Amino acid sequence: TVTADDIIRGVGATTPEFSYTITGFENDETEEELRNESPPALVGEVTFDGDAVSATEEGSYEILVVLAELTATNYVFTPASGTLTISNVVVDASGGTLRAGYDTLKAAYDAINEGTHTGEINVSIYTDLTETATATLNANGTGSTSYTSVSIIPKGNVEIGGTATPLIIFGN
């Protein structure tokens, strides 16, 4: 199976180059090994198509795998799609779920509070946010919260506003 690797990025950020993973090789064979045999036992290309190729707005988009005459001795390949997720807020962590996207700062903080992200955590804000509920980041060790540090990183001149009072609480 040739599967497009999932990508999570912020609104306005550049989409990284699409990549893929091939599974199902036998006898510890790898793509590189088969391509480097003489003559090559694996030839052809993997390209990508679908809405993800030109996506710029927040949302989830299918990354379609196109097998351009991809053939290998003793193997038949099947394409499997991946997902490009474009989010307002992206959390990167050294433990737990390493990368995820969220619509609001509150949703990102809720995930941290639930222990979804642990260790060193970076919360990148890519666009102006309108919070409709208080975004509360619990102190480390409160409930399932487990982090060594949390950095809030605005990507450009972003503003956080909303109707909640208070808007943001740290270390509750």
Side-chain angles (χ1 to χ4, degrees), residues 125 127-130 157-161:
I125 303 170
T127 189
D128 292 345
L129 298 175
T130 301
N157 187 23
V158 298
E159 294 183 14
I160 302 171

Side-chain angles (χ1 to χ4, degrees), residues 14 23 36 47 73 82 97 109 112 123 132 161 163:
T14 302
T23 56
N36 290 331
T47 59
T73 306
T97 299
Y109 282 1
I112 295 168
V123 179
T132 58
T163 57

Side-chain angles (χ1 to χ4, degrees), residues 9 15 18 48-66 81-86:
R9 74 159 176 87
T15 300
F18 293 120
F48 304 93
D49 200 0
D51 292 339
V53 173
S54 60
T56 60
E57 300 294 320
E58 180 188 14
S60 294
Y61 304 90
E62 186 175 25
I63 306 169
L64 298 174
V65 172
V66 179
S81 299
T83 303
L84 167 65
T85 303
I86 301 175

Side-chain angles (χ1 to χ4, degrees), residues 131-155:
E131 300 289 326
T132 58
T134 301
T136 302
L137 179 62
N138 291 341
N140 182 45
T142 304
S144 298
T145 305
S146 177
Y147 55 80
T148 53
S149 66
V150 176
S151 298
I152 311 301
I153 306 166
K155 298 293 187 171

Side-chain angles (χ1 to χ4, degrees), residues 86-107:
I86 301 175
S87 300
N88 295 329
V89 180
V90 176
V91 175
D92 292 294
S94 62
T97 299
L98 301 181
R99 187 172 178 90
Y102 300 94
D103 295 335
T104 64
L105 187 59
K106 180 185 181 331

Side-chain angles (χ1 to χ4, degrees), residues 1-4 20-25 42 46-48 63-68 70-72 75-82:
T1 302
V2 181
T3 304
Y20 62 90
T21 302
I22 299 179
T23 56
F25 288 123
L42 188 153
V46 175
T47 59
F48 304 93
I63 306 169
L64 298 174
V65 172
V66 179
L67 303 177
L70 186 69
T71 60
Y75 294 103
V76 175
F77 296 106
T78 304
S81 299

